[in-house]
Amino acid sequence: MSQYFQVNDLVLWNPSNRVAELFVRTSEAVAPLVDVPTGIGPMRADDYEIDLDVFVAFVDALVAQYLSSSHAILRSLLEGFVATALVMVDRAGRTVPSLQATATLDPRDVSVGPGGIAPLGDPERLYELARRHAAAMAR
């Protein structure tokens, strides 16, 4: 069994039921972090309809949060979800503006070690992970 994430008739992803449920629940869990709605509609007949403008804004906010954080654990917790969501945004023919912006440190997520403040998130790391996820994401 599987479920579809789609924008009208465009299928962005067709994962198994458990993976789809985990993706949706993760989106609901991380949405308060950026105070932006997910854009993922309720499941109807094995389909999740994506409001593309809202979803792109949600993913953009998460990417901006990832890139502006020096906290390795926060970034690690976001990475898998964000990489998967980036593939969906790309398949919809859209882009995420924060991937091209210059990130600045978010003081809420500072990690300080022996060498000072840890580095911010790396967009190339997200791109690479998204490329690997895309190869594993059935349509």
Side-chain angles (χ1 to χ4, degrees):
M1 295 286 296
S2 63
Q3 297 172 343
Y4 292 87
F5 291 89
Q6 60 191 48
V7 177
N8 300 316
D9 292 333
L10 176 63
V11 174
L12 305 178
W13 186 29
N14 179 227
S16 67
N17 290 349
R18 283 175 25 123
V19 174
E21 182 179 346
L22 180 59
F23 183 81
V24 171
R25 288 184 180 203
T26 302
S27 75
E28 294 165 351
V30 298
L33 180 69
V34 291
D35 198 29
V36 176
T38 68
I40 302 172
M43 185 180 56
R44 291 198 170 89
D46 292 332
D47 297 339
Y48 288 99
E49 186 67 29
I50 303 292
D51 180 324
L52 191 55
D53 290 335
V54 176
F55 185 70
V56 170
F58 170 61
V59 175
D60 187 52
L62 287 173
V63 168
Q65 183 64 64
Y66 172 90
L67 295 174
S68 67
S69 177
S70 71
H71 203 290
I73 302 305
L74 176 75
R75 291 194 319 265
S76 179
L77 290 169
L78 290 175
E79 275 182 347
F81 178 84
V82 169
T84 302
L86 285 171
V87 173
M88 295 169 67
V89 168
D90 182 63
R91 288 179 176 178
R94 301 288 287 276
T95 59
V96 175
S98 58
L99 281 170
Q100 304 305 319
T102 301
T104 58
L105 179 65
D106 184 334
R108 297 173 297 177
D109 301 314
V110 174
S111 181
V112 179
I117 294 176
L120 299 181
D122 179 7
E124 286 305 315
R125 182 176 170 89
L126 283 180
Y127 281 126
E128 178 55 31
L129 189 54
R131 280 189 286 275
R132 286 189 276 146
H133 280 215
M137 291 172 65
R139 286 202 216 196

